[in-house]
Amino acid sequence: MRKALPALGVAFVMALGACSGTSTGSLPQPKPVNSAAPLMETKAFADTVSATAKELANADKAGSMADATAIANPLRAQRVGEYRLKKGMGDKYTLDPIVLDPKSVPVYSGRLFPRSIMQITAPTDQEKLFTLSVWSAPSAREPITLVADVELFPGVNIGALVSADSTKDGYLGKDSTLAYKPADVVAAYAKYLQDRKAGNIAFAADDQLYLKTDEQLKALSNSIKDLGKASATYAPGDSPVQVVSMEDGGALVVGEIRNTTTLEKTKVDATFTVGGELAGWVNQDPAKPSFEIGKSMATTYSSQVAFYLPPKGKVQVIGASAPSIVDMKVTK
């Protein structure tokens, strides 16, 4: 018996697409900082952005991150996964656009390391949503690298960002007033997605990402019916969480969420046939658009999720990057 699955067949991928739209209005500019004590000169950071954009363009053309030293995980691993899909699907797959704007104002977390830097970029012809470019400086001896590119959901209104100067410690300082540790927020959200119920950190009830992941996993389970079963697990990624401060005393937090969706055959004579990205990842040949699962297929996706962490109250999910396959295990 043969059962054809949807081209993507993964709840997390489909859910993020459903949250997308066209941005309207505008997001506030960062509050000005003491120009006499900058953490980095404006031109120096702009040059870093321009150089990174050039590296990324060259990497996209070559389909390899071998020479792209200015791009680090988790974005690096995500892009490598996209290159594999491009090779496996050819013209049927398009790399997600990453727009880097050297003129966009950088927001710094503070003088302490590890240091986060974020920029809000307005919509363009390539990217219809406001995006958040996320950079990291792990230490004073290590270069700034691009670590995430996040789409902000339409209608987001999060208030003003506040950039620290060389006199401020930022959220890592002893005087931080954040209600929760940023890394705990990311871990709690992964658990929230996994358990489907609130834990020790409360998230806003209108979280479209949460609602859509549940909806799409149920749809996937229904599509295979009694031939097999679908399950999903969620966990925080290994990459450091990035944080900048908000004017209201809260923070903008960006962290990696990994989702593993498993398709398992439970009926002995059943064979699942999948296409799209799943087949492209396995076959690595555009001329082979489908793949038959023997016993099971476990696909791991990586996505960066952005949170508004208020001084008090519920945490709000405000954006996410398009998820990318970073690993797959097939049992024949």
Side-chain angles (χ1 to χ4, degrees), residues 5 11 21 33 54 57 59 84 89 92 123 144 179-180 217 242 255 275 286 293 296 311 317 326:
L5 294 180
V33 299
K54 184 176 180 180
R84 182 180 175 95
M89 299 178 68
K92 293 182 179 180
I144 294 172
Y180 309 106
L217 182 60
Q242 305 299 325
I293 301 174
S296 67
V317 178
V326 292

Side-chain angles (χ1 to χ4, degrees), residues 12 77 233-238 256-260 300-303 326:
F12 200 47
T233 60
Y234 303 88
D238 296 329
E256 182 187 17
I257 298 289
R258 290 208 169 193
N259 156 247
T260 298
T300 299
Y301 293 81
S302 171
S303 181
V326 292

Side-chain angles (χ1 to χ4, degrees), residues 65-88:
M65 277 283 169
D67 297 322
T69 58
I71 301 167
N73 286 332
L75 180 60
R76 187 182 187 90
Q78 292 170 354
R79 207 62 169 179
V80 168
E82 289 187 55
Y83 295 156
R84 182 180 175 95
L85 289 175
K86 182 65 176 175
K87 179 181 178 182

Side-chain angles (χ1 to χ4, degrees), residues 221-253:
S221 296
N222 289 335
S223 72
I224 60 179
K225 297 181 179 178
D226 60 340
L227 301 180
K229 63 180 181 180
S231 61
T233 60
Y234 303 88
D238 296 329
S239 300
V241 173
Q242 305 299 325
V243 189
V244 296
S245 297
M246 307 291 295
E247 184 180 27
D248 63 4
L252 179 56
V253 178

Side-chain angles (χ1 to χ4, degrees), residues 50-163:
S50 297
T52 302
K54 184 176 180 180
E55 275 196 16
L56 179 62
N58 290 337
D60 287 351
K61 184 177 181 180
S64 170
M65 277 283 169
D67 297 322
T69 58
I71 301 167
N73 286 332
L75 180 60
R76 187 182 187 90
Q78 292 170 354
R79 207 62 169 179
V80 168
E82 289 187 55
Y83 295 156
R84 182 180 175 95
L85 289 175
K86 182 65 176 175
K87 179 181 178 182
M89 299 178 68
D91 294 338
K92 293 182 179 180
Y93 184 82
T94 302
L95 298 174
D96 287 319
I98 296 178
V99 179
L100 300 178
D101 183 3
K103 296 181 181 180
S104 180
V105 179
V107 178
Y108 296 86
S109 60
R111 65 182 177 183
L112 299 181
F113 292 95
R115 185 180 296 165
S116 301
I117 309 165
M118 299 188 193
Q119 300 169 285
I120 293 177
T121 302
T124 65
D125 291 339
Q126 291 177 280
E127 175 57 74
K128 303 302 182 183
L129 299 175
F130 281 99
T131 57
L132 191 66
S133 300
V134 184
W135 307 78
S136 175
S139 72
R141 296 178 179 274
E142 296 176 83
I144 294 172
T145 54
L146 181 67
V147 295
D149 179 70
V150 178
E151 292 182 338
L152 296 176
F153 296 152
V156 166
N157 184 11
I158 57 174
L161 306 178
V162 179
S163 185

